[in-house]
Amino acid sequence: MTSELSSSLWSDTCKEKVTAPPLRDDVSADLVVIGGGYTGCSAALEATQMGAEVRLLEAGTFGGGGSGRNVGLANAGLWLPPEDINAQIGADAGRRLSSLLADAPDMVYGLIEKHQIACEPVRKGTLHCAHASAGMTDLARRYEQLSAIGAPVRLLDADEAQARVGSDQVYGALFDPRAGTIQPLSYARGLARAAAGAGAMLHGETPALSATRNGDAWNISTPQGRVRGKHLIVATNGYALAIEGLQTPTKVPVHYFQAATDPLPDHVLDQILPGLEGCWDSALVMSSWRRDREGRLIIGAMGALDHIGKEIHLGWLRRKIARMFPALADMPLRHIWFGRIAMTTEHLPKIQRLEGGFACFGYSGRGICPGTLFGNRMARALLSGDETCLPVAPVTTHRLPFAGVRQAFYETGATLTHLLKDRL
């Protein structure tokens, strides 16, 4: 399999369609958005609803980047626990960000309901599972911090966690009822459809080639057209292409692969994830698992599938399934795909200030709810002129030294872990 979106379960089961012809004219807009994932589509939807004329440029297909390749966990927060966030950006800013993110699943599921997005929404919570008994120490710390800010989380012992997962390979879990799962590509394309329905003009297969600021407007050139706009939002995150005249923010690309089985047999459906929670574990090289609406098991972990370590990753995955869910040991994997996560050193998303615009990036594997929130708030801030609504304070520059070295470190670590781990 390759990294192409066509190889994924999400592409095969996506029920949302987007009409977005390439830009072939010289046009103008109040807001130009570059990037057709969660952030860009959310920004376009909010701006259009505020009465702005919007042009959204997507280099490929809508949801074709990380928005269409991820696990589909709609989480109420970031990877970092609250006190770690506070340590990075200050207590007041941290508490505000955590509060906004706590409500972000309400925003996501509210948009799904309002616009009737066909993305298999299930809001039965998530389980952050201890991969070993030592993992409970970290989960207990997270539980204390989340409880302290009013999050309705519960710490589950090994017996309850194993019953919910359907495996004796977890040692406890942190349950968050605010969260859930979705079909991630369908959600991205549903947001795009909603934005178009509100009046935004969407253009697929339209990469931005250059961007220049002339006076009070941006001029964005594309292969067959040009758009002039007062405001600009760059929302390309982990799949950014070079745009002449704009500095691409540096991120650490971390890859994550997944595989999906056929729908599970009836006799195991009531044993494996019977409550339909989405799960991930506390291991340093993280893995995740969930079910979709048709009862398929979707399981994955850190790692890329475009190099010599591909068979190592997939070999580990088959061992992982056999160990966690012995009844599924011989089930074939029908879909295998991977995508790219954009990480920052602090594991916090960033908003970078542009003249008359913003660039947003670095969700570090938590793109669905934060992306929806950040896109919405950037559009509001630009059109209203009031930046107090932004989830984080904008930065003027962002540098991340040795990003390529860090990427190699993560991938090498994942490959070596999967070479040695879960051998029976």
Side-chain angles (χ1 to χ4, degrees), residues 63-417:
S67 295
R69 303 169 192 259
N70 65 81
V71 180
L73 301 183
N75 288 295
L78 299 174
W79 183 80
L80 291 180
E83 289 183 11
D84 291 6
I85 295 174
N86 296 352
Q88 294 286 352
I89 62 176
D92 290 343
R95 283 192 292 266
R96 182 173 179 275
L97 176 59
S98 292
S99 177
L100 289 172
L101 292 170
D103 293 334
D106 289 338
M107 175 182 284
V108 168
Y109 286 98
L111 288 169
I112 291 169
E113 181 176 6
K114 178 179 179 180
H115 299 287
Q116 293 297 289
I117 299 175
C119 64
E120 304 180 17
V122 175
R123 200 172 186 184
K124 297 294 183 69
T126 54
L127 295 169
H128 187 177
C129 298
H131 74 292
S133 56
M136 287 300 291
T137 301
D138 178 56
L139 296 188
R141 181 176 71 94
R142 291 173 182 269
Y143 168 75
E144 291 173 1
Q145 293 186 26
L146 288 166
S147 296
I149 63 171
V153 294
R154 287 204 299 123
L155 197 61
L156 310 183
D157 63 18
D159 288 342
E160 185 171 359
Q162 289 172 10
R164 289 189 180 219
V165 173
S167 174
D168 62 5
Q169 295 299 298
V170 297
Y171 295 80
L174 183 63
F175 173 62
D176 190 338
R178 301 169 298 176
T181 62
I182 60 174
Q183 209 277 26
L185 178 59
S186 290
Y187 175 60
R189 290 184 177 169
L191 280 180
R193 172 180 58 78
M201 301 299 294
L202 274 53
H203 301 285
E205 304 298 334
T206 303
L209 302 179
S210 67
T212 57
R213 182 77 175 177
N214 296 321
D216 63 351
W218 285 95
N219 288 291
I220 312 298
S221 67
T222 71
Q224 302 178 72
R226 185 183 302 272
V227 56
R228 177 181 173 86
K230 181 178 180 181
H231 301 293
L232 174 66
I233 289 177
V234 181
T236 50
N237 199 31
Y239 285 78
L241 301 176
I243 301 173
E244 184 180 353
L246 284 180
Q247 182 185 70
T248 302
T250 308
K251 294 88 61 179
V252 179
V254 176
H255 291 91
Y256 201 91
F257 70 94
Q258 296 177 79
T261 67
D262 287 331
L264 302 184
D266 290 342
H267 69 277
V268 297
L269 278 175
D270 61 350
Q271 300 173 25
I272 297 175
L273 297 172
L276 299 179
E277 300 95 343
C279 305
W280 74 99
D281 67 20
S282 58
L284 182 61
V285 178
M286 187 190 79
S287 58
S288 63
W289 56 95
R290 54 164 293 197
R291 277 171 40 187
D292 73 349
R293 177 168 291 177
E294 300 302 318
R296 301 176 183 90
L297 178 71
I298 302 152
I299 185 167
M302 291 172 59
L305 301 181
D306 60 351
H307 61 79
I308 195 170
K310 172 183 175 180
E311 293 307 317
I312 292 175
H313 290 314
L314 296 182
W316 165 85
L317 184 62
R318 293 183 177 95
R319 297 194 304 273
K320 176 78 169 179
I321 293 172
R323 184 179 288 274
M324 285 198 71
F325 307 112
L328 308 184
D330 297 325
M331 284 200 75
L333 301 175
R334 297 298 184 192
H335 298 82
I336 300 171
W337 71 100
F338 75 106
R340 188 158 62 241
I341 295 167
M343 293 184 66
T344 62
T345 304
E346 312 90 334
H347 303 293
L348 288 173
K350 303 286 187 180
I351 295 175
Q352 184 170 335
R353 187 186 302 282
L354 308 173
E355 186 178 356
F358 297 118
C360 186
F361 55 92
Y363 297 119
S364 300
R366 292 292 181 95
I368 294 173
C369 292
T372 304
L373 170 67
F374 275 59
N376 175 286
R377 293 304 181 94
M378 286 190 295
R380 283 197 213 176
L382 288 175
L383 296 177
S384 69
D386 181 5
E387 294 187 1
T388 61
C389 69
L390 290 174
V392 295
V395 298
T396 54
T397 60
H398 177 73
R399 300 287 186 184
L400 205 165
F402 307 111
V405 174
R406 294 168 189 257
Q407 176 189 3
F409 172 79
Y410 283 119
E411 182 59 33
T412 301
T415 303
L416 290 175
T417 297

Side-chain angles (χ1 to χ4, degrees), residues 8-16 118 120 183 185-186 292 294 296 335:
S8 78
L9 171 66
W10 308 137
S11 180
D12 281 0
T13 62
C14 183
K15 292 185 168 54
E16 287 285 347
E120 304 180 17
Q183 209 277 26
L185 178 59
S186 290
D292 73 349
E294 300 302 318
R296 301 176 183 90
H335 298 82

